[in-house]
Every structure is written in structure tokens, then in C-alpha cells.
Amino acid sequence: MVVGSVVQAGSIGGDVHVHPAVREQPPPRQLPPVPARFVGRAAELERLTSLLDAAEAGGAAPVLALSGAGGIGKTWLVVRWAYRHLDRFPDGQLFVDLRGFSPDSDPMEMGVAVRGFLDALGVEPGRIPTDLHAQAALYRSLVAGRRMLIVLDNAATAEQAAPLLPGGRSCVVVTTSRRTPNTLVSRHGAHHLRLDPLAVDESHELLTGWLGADRVAAEPDAVAELVGFCRGFALALGLIAGHAHTHPGAPLARLAGELREFGLDVLDDDDPAASLPKVLSWSYRALSAEQQRVFGLVGIAPGPDLALPAAADLTGLPPVRAKRALRGLEEASLLDQDARGRYAMHDLVRSWAVAVAHEDLPDEERDAALRRVLDSYAHVACAADRLLAPHRLPVRLDPPVPGVRPEPPADAAAAMAWLEVEHPNLLAAQNVAVAGGRHRVGWLLAWALDSFHGRRGHLRDRVTTWRVAVGAAAHLPEHVLGVRASRFLGRALAHLGSHEEAVRHLHRALSSAEEHRDNSELAQTHRMLAWAWGQQDEDRLAVDHAARALELFRALDQPVWEADALNQFGRHAARLGELEDGLAHCRAALELYRGHHNPDGEAATSVSLGYIEHRTGRHERAAGHYEHALALYRALGNTYMSADVLRDLGGSYAALGRGEEARGVWSEALELYRRQGREEEVAVVRGYLGS
């Protein structure tokens, strides 16, 4: 009997023809064993099947191309999927490891792969053609018309796999590679699936399969740390699970501690295929020299991700060239690009990149790269803040260092969007700057983030950045930087309710401003003290500081800040019962703010006017002021103050008998307070809604 693999092309729908060079044998079954303890990947398994169904239904060549980082689990997924669908491949399965990223050899040559397939298909050794192209033609002839699966695993490039594609559409081909298979997609119509890390629940399931449910349940914190360290990297999870499995008496907390202390070195092994550092090093060695340099520099960049402009400044490359290098890292599955166009590394890959940077790049090159990216962040952040708060006092900003091309946002909306997405990077950049002795950059980043932190209610981040700035200012010659850092730290602490420490920092700022006879900083600090005392309902002290600030601002001819002092004075005077005096001061403030096109100040004063009108029983007017303030704050993207205005607006609606409208704005305020973690305000608004 002649079966499967010995049938020549053209046999479907006609007579079966035996190729004269082929011996009679069973169909080849070359798939590796089913992976032990395979977990999860349900969506990916289904996706592979749906891609194959779509290709066959559309008459396209059924070529499926998987890509992903080394150790992410590509081969396991393909093998698992193949065993689930053996009925679709009755004429056999061919499998070859093309050794695209081998530690001890070059990628497999096409001739070796084709010869292996011909042997598996039963071709007599003496009948194999000597010419490589003739061998490939014979291979294609033997599989033509057959329902076979051909797995081309671990391809270095699409070009290495392409010559092994059969003709026709009867065979299904699955390729795996660490590189994105652009050529297979564009020239051969391959369907591409990029494999991401395992989900958290899948990682837990994998560890449970190895260690047992009781052991995993006994140390939930250690398990969570192990899962968090691996971030879904299948090889890392397998190595950790194997290590714990072979040491059943060792607590998982000890293993977690070793990972915390030694990092990737714990996942090293004499077997190159079972060593995560060695697996990553194979991918690294396949990069060009420029890609290797960019890989190391991206690893040491502050923050979790990078936009292209920051990456260009980090590397000192023109944007087009930087993008080309980043694309190469992405195609090598060492870097991911999300839907927003931002680049990020898996934590384990990043750990390797940091090691590479310190081993392969000179200290001066790493230092210069960090200096460029920190300078880039500082310049763009300061430009963004200037758009948000054009009336803030100016700060000195040195010209960008060579190689930095800052791209400031176009308008206030773009500034808020940029600060939103870059916020984690800017926080990290401040710490890196100060740790590296770049104290001016550390101070500037606190300054540039302040308006954004206020509008978004990032109050703890505000305290943290200004604490860092106070330390940085001690290393800088300008007294004004220390005054401002202490003042803004005091304000940030007061916002969180740490009043005693807040006042201490504010008085330190006041003393320094008096010592240097700096009336501008003195006025600003009195203004901030008025606000801080107002937070404690010490309205008489607040009025005194506001009056002193008002006197100084008028002498300095700073009308916008004069308006701020007027508003402070008016609000706290009204809280003392001096309603008409308060109303007059707030109206004067509103006129100044409008005359100088300051929507922040106009919104704040409208809130004060709403409060005063509400106190006097003029609830319709109060509601109008609150509605105006809410519109301004929403336009500014100030969600923090929007929540407060919604709360107060609900009170005016309720006083007017507009219950449904009150309930609506209170419900909206409640949701904002919840998002901002403001539990006291949540309780207050719940009480309003309950009544």
C-alpha cells in the first residue's frame, strides 16, 4: 500500500501516482511531544483556527506566521494547536527547528532543512538531486495536493522560511520567529499573529500546575511577586516553577527574595535553551550595531515607555533613523509599539537591556544619552506648563543640549494630553536627574508638573515631586528656587491635610524671601499662607495674609496676582460674615482676571462668588456662578476642581427645589471623587444623595 507522503502532485481527483524516488512508508509525524503543563492561550488557539479557516475559505495560501519574544511560548502554542487539529492533516506533519537564534550555530541553511524533509517523506538517499533548487522542487512535488502541516520553527528571518513554503493550497504552514514576518505577509499572504505575554490568571494557573494548589495558596504574596516579576514570560515562569518544583521544602518567599536581589541571574542555566539571559542574548546578537546601541539606551531611559521624539533625543539620532532602529527592535520582538505609537520593553527584556548598556556602552555614552532625554523632557514639560498657566512667574531654562530637538505642544489641550501620557516618565525622569546630580532638571520637572498635578488631583505626586525639588534646590545657587520649592511643598502638604508641616515649609519660604528682600516671592508666599490657613478654617489669619499679599502685588504692579489676593481676601472675609466686603473684593478680582484672560482665576473667583451668593440666599445667582466655573474648569481639563464645583452646585439646585438636577450633579461629583480617591468627599456627597 502507498500512503500519504509518497503520493506525487496531481493525485487529488485522479489516479494516485507513486514518485519513483520514494520508498513506501507511513506518513511523517514529526511534531514534538505535547507540552507538559500547557495553560491558557485560549484566545490565541482560537485565533489560529479562525485565521486558517478564513484563509481556506478565501482560497488563500494557508500560511500562519507567529512572532514574539524568545521564551514567550510560540513553539508550545503551535504544537498544542497542532495536536488539537491532527484530523485536518491526515497526510502527516513536518517540523523543523531552523535554529534562527541558536547559541552555538548559525541559522540552518535551506539545503539542510529541505534534505531533512525529503528524508521524512521517504525519498531514497541515492535519488535525492544534488542541485539545491532541484531538491526544493522535489520537496514541493511530494507535498503538493497533500493535506499536511508544515511547521517552520524559530526562523531567523522570513527569507529563511520562504523557500520551504510548498506550492498550492493543500498544505498548512505555520512559522514562528522572534522577528516580524513582513516578507511572508507581503509576498506570500501569510496571516500574522503576534504572541503577547501570558495573562496574570494564566501565569497563576501555570505555577499551580507545577507546584500544586495547596503550595500556591499557602504563600499568596510570594506567588503574586513571582508572577509580577515574570510578567507573563512563559520561559521565566517555567524556570521559576521548575526551580521551586525541585526544591519542594523551600518557601516560595525565599525564591522571590532571590529574584528581587539578583534579578535575571536567578533565571540563568547551563542549558542555553533553559536560560532566559542566554535566550535574550541570542536575539541581541542578531541585531545590527546601531540597533544594539539603541537597545541598550532604551533600557536605561527613565519611565515605562518612550515616544519617538524622546527616543530620538535619547539616542541622538535623527527621528527617521531612530524610528528605523526602533522598528528593527520591534521586529526582533525586543520592543513593543502600542496603538499610540509608544515603545515599551517587557520588564525582563528591559533588565537585560540595562545589563547590556552597562557592559557594552561606555559610561560617557550612557551619561550623554540620559542628559539628552532628561533635557528633552524638561524643555517640553516647561513649554506644556506655560500653555496651561501662562501667568505663572517665569523660570530660567538653559538652551537644549546638543542633539535635543524639543517638540512643544501646540496648545493647552495638547499640553494636557502630553503631560497625561508622559506623567510616569516625568516622575521617573526627576528621580534619575537628581540621582545623577542634575539638580536643575529635577527642580524644573517639579515646577513643570505642578499645574497638571493640581488639575488632575495628583496630590501625593505633587508632594513627592516638591520634596525632591526642595532637596535639589539646596544644590543650586539661586535662592528663589529654594523659596519656591518650600512654598509649593507647603501648599501640596496643606492640600493633603498635613497642616503643621505645611505651615513650617511656608514660613521657611517666607523667611528666605524676607532675607533676600524678594518682595515678589514674599507676596506669593503670603498668598499661599492665606490659602493654607483657609484650609484649616482659620479665616482671620487667611484674611491677614491675603491683605499683605494684596498690598505687595499692587506695589509690584502684578495685576493677575493682585486678582488672586483679592479673591482670597473676599472669600475668607465672607466666611467671617463680612459678606458685602467679600463680594466687592471678589467682583474686583473677576474683573481683573477677565481683563487679563485668565480662565483659571476666573473660575476660582466664580466659585467664591457662588459661595457668597449662596450664603446670602441668592441661590439662582449662586447656581449661575457655579455653572460658569464648571464650564471653565471642564474646558481646562481640571477634574479636581470640577468635582468640588459639582458638589456646591448641587447645594444651590437643592435650595432652589430642583431636586433631580441636584441629584444629577451630586452623582457626577461622587464618581469624580471616587476616581480621585477622595474618601471624605465621597462620604459627604453620599450623605447629600441619601437625604
Side-chain angles (χ1 to χ4, degrees):
M1 181 180 70
V2 180
V3 295
S5 62
V6 302
V7 181
Q8 188 178 355
S11 63
I12 292 180
D15 296 332
V16 175
H17 304 291
V18 181
H19 194 284
V22 175
R23 61 181 178 272
E24 186 174 336
Q25 66 176 35
R29 309 290 186 193
Q30 292 191 323
L31 290 176
V34 176
R37 299 182 175 90
F38 183 92
V39 300
R41 299 296 193 192
E44 291 86 350
L45 289 166
E46 184 178 340
R47 177 67 175 155
L48 280 174
T49 303
S50 64
L51 287 174
L52 177 57
D53 291 342
E56 291 178 340
V63 179
L64 312 180
L66 271 76
S67 67
I72 207 73
K74 301 181 294 296
T75 304
W76 279 23
L77 176 66
V78 170
V79 173
R80 178 68 167 180
W81 176 82
Y83 274 103
R84 283 188 176 185
H85 298 282
L86 288 179
D87 58 314
R88 301 180 74 148
F89 318 115
D91 296 329
Q93 306 92 40
L94 298 174
F95 182 98
V96 62
D97 179 359
L98 295 174
R99 302 179 64 79
F101 300 90
S102 171
D104 52 11
S105 67
D106 293 329
M108 181 182 290
E109 295 181 358
M110 187 187 80
V112 177
V114 171
R115 175 62 186 261
F117 280 172
L118 291 177
D119 288 342
L121 291 167
V123 178
E124 297 284 353
R127 308 295 294 272
I128 295 177
T130 56
D131 179 72
L132 179 59
H133 293 291
Q135 292 177 7
L138 176 58
Y139 154 67
R140 284 191 291 271
S141 297
L142 293 175
V143 299
R146 298 293 88 203
R147 293 171 61 197
M148 299 184 70
L149 172 66
I150 301 169
V151 179
L152 309 176
D153 190 42
N154 199 19
T157 63
E159 288 74 15
Q160 186 190 18
L164 299 171
L165 299 180
R169 292 191 289 272
S170 62
C171 292
V172 173
V173 179
V174 182
T175 73
T176 74
S177 178
R178 300 182 192 182
R179 303 192 66 84
T180 304
N182 294 322
T183 302
L184 288 178
V185 173
S186 60
R187 296 184 184 175
H188 302 281
H191 297 269
H192 177 223
L193 174 63
R194 183 173 181 84
L195 197 59
D196 294 322
L198 291 166
V200 172
D201 59 338
E202 294 173 328
S203 299
H204 273 277
E205 187 181 348
L206 190 150
L207 289 180
T208 302
W210 272 93
L211 308 178
D214 292 343
R215 191 174 178 189
V216 168
E219 295 188 73
D221 292 341
V223 170
E225 188 171 355
L226 294 173
V227 168
F229 179 84
C230 295
R231 292 283 301 278
F233 230 83
L235 177 58
L237 284 161
L239 291 170
I240 286 174
H243 182 86
H245 184 70
T246 56
H247 298 80
L252 298 179
R254 188 173 74 189
L255 178 56
E258 291 174 357
L259 286 167
R260 202 182 311 124
E261 183 176 359
F262 302 111
L264 279 179
D265 290 342
V266 177
L267 303 182
D268 204 351
D269 193 276
D270 292 336
D271 178 5
S275 165
L276 187 58
K278 290 184 177 66
V279 167
L280 294 174
S281 72
W282 307 339
S283 297
Y284 175 73
R285 288 205 303 269
L287 301 174
S288 69
E290 182 164 274
Q291 289 169 346
Q292 289 179 348
R293 173 180 174 271
V294 171
F295 176 71
L297 293 180
V298 171
I300 64 170
D305 60 13
L306 274 173
L308 178 59
D313 288 338
L314 170 76
T315 60
L317 296 173
V320 172
R321 195 165 151 194
K323 186 173 181 64
R324 189 181 307 125
L326 294 168
R327 186 186 301 120
L329 298 180
E330 186 185 1
E331 290 175 352
S333 297
L334 292 171
L335 191 68
D336 294 315
Q337 185 181 21
D338 65 18
R340 303 167 299 169
R342 300 183 66 81
Y343 299 93
M345 285 177 171
H346 188 284
D347 288 353
L348 294 179
V349 176
R350 185 170 189 137
S351 296
W352 173 252
V354 171
V356 163
H358 284 85
E359 184 174 338
D360 293 355
L361 299 177
D363 293 347
E364 310 79 53
E365 185 167 2
R366 297 196 310 272
D367 187 73
L370 283 176
R371 186 168 62 251
R372 285 192 301 268
V373 74
L374 293 173
D375 198 58
S376 173
Y377 280 141
H379 274 82
V380 181
C382 284
D385 179 72
R386 198 71 181 155
L387 288 165
L388 298 184
H391 297 284
R392 287 184 87 188
L393 297 174
V395 294
R396 181 175 66 83
L397 201 60
D398 295 328
V401 299
V404 172
R405 299 163 291 269
E407 296 183 9
D411 52 32
M416 280 295 286
W418 186 86
L419 288 164
E420 190 83 63
V421 74
E422 296 290 356
H423 185 230
N425 296 325
L426 297 173
L427 295 178
Q430 187 193 36
N431 291 325
V432 170
V434 171
R438 298 179 179 90
H439 300 292
R440 181 172 295 281
V441 170
W443 190 95
L444 284 170
L445 287 170
W447 174 265
L449 281 166
D450 189 73
S451 300
F452 170 76
H453 280 162
R455 291 190 183 186
R456 285 291 189 259
H458 297 309
L459 303 186
R460 298 191 183 281
D461 288 333
R462 203 181 212 178
V463 169
T464 300
T465 53
W466 281 116
R467 283 198 194 281
V468 173
V470 166
H475 298 273
L476 300 170
E478 303 98 324
H479 78 276
V480 69
L481 303 184
V483 173
R484 292 184 186 179
S486 293
R487 182 170 72 245
F488 280 100
L489 176 56
R491 190 271 309 274
L493 287 164
H495 228 144
L496 281 178
S498 302
H499 181 70
E500 185 177 339
E501 187 183 0
V503 170
R504 188 166 66 248
H505 283 286
L506 287 167
H507 277 286
R508 183 178 301 161
L510 198 67
S511 298
S512 182
E514 288 172 340
E515 178 186 346
H516 290 89
R517 298 180 181 179
D518 190 333
N519 283 344
S520 179
E521 296 301 320
L522 195 61
Q524 292 288 346
T525 309
H526 277 296
R527 179 182 70 87
M528 208 72 85
L529 275 162
W531 180 86
W533 283 115
Q535 291 289 102
Q536 293 296 304
D537 296 328
E538 294 285 354
D539 294 299
R540 179 51 62 192
L541 284 171
V543 165
D544 291 344
H545 282 290
R548 181 62 179 138
L550 179 58
E551 178 186 353
L552 288 166
F553 284 133
R554 280 175 173 164
L556 293 164
D557 191 25
Q558 294 181 356
V560 170
W561 296 115
E562 177 186 343
D564 195 277
L566 283 165
N567 181 39
Q568 292 268 19
F569 188 103
R571 182 174 182 86
H572 295 296
R575 286 171 58 166
L576 289 168
E578 301 163 9
L579 296 176
E580 291 306 316
D581 193 24
L583 194 62
H585 278 78
C586 288
R587 284 173 175 168
L590 188 64
E591 185 177 347
L592 277 174
Y593 277 135
R594 285 176 172 167
H596 289 83
H597 308 291
N598 188 313
D600 265 308
E602 185 178 344
T605 308
S606 295
V607 172
S608 297
L609 288 166
Y611 166 78
I612 296 171
E613 298 287 13
H614 188 84
R615 282 279 306 268
T616 58
R618 297 188 283 262
H619 301 301
E620 197 70 52
R621 290 186 185 179
H625 286 301
Y626 286 138
E627 287 166 350
H628 182 61
L630 182 60
L632 289 171
Y633 279 134
R634 281 175 166 163
L636 291 166
N638 193 329
T639 53
Y640 188 87
M641 285 304 302
S642 293
D644 289 345
V645 177
L646 285 162
R647 176 199 60 202
D648 296 342
L649 177 58
S652 293
Y653 283 159
L656 290 166
R658 294 155 63 176
E660 286 305 310
E661 290 172 272
R663 178 170 293 277
V665 295
W666 279 334
S667 297
E668 191 176 348
L670 182 64
E671 181 59 30
L672 285 174
Y673 283 143
R674 281 174 175 160
R675 291 181 200 168
Q676 295 164 10
R678 299 166 67 181
E679 295 304 321
E680 289 185 16
E681 288 85 350
V682 165
V684 168
V685 175
R686 275 181 177 160
Y688 292 163
L689 287 167
S691 64

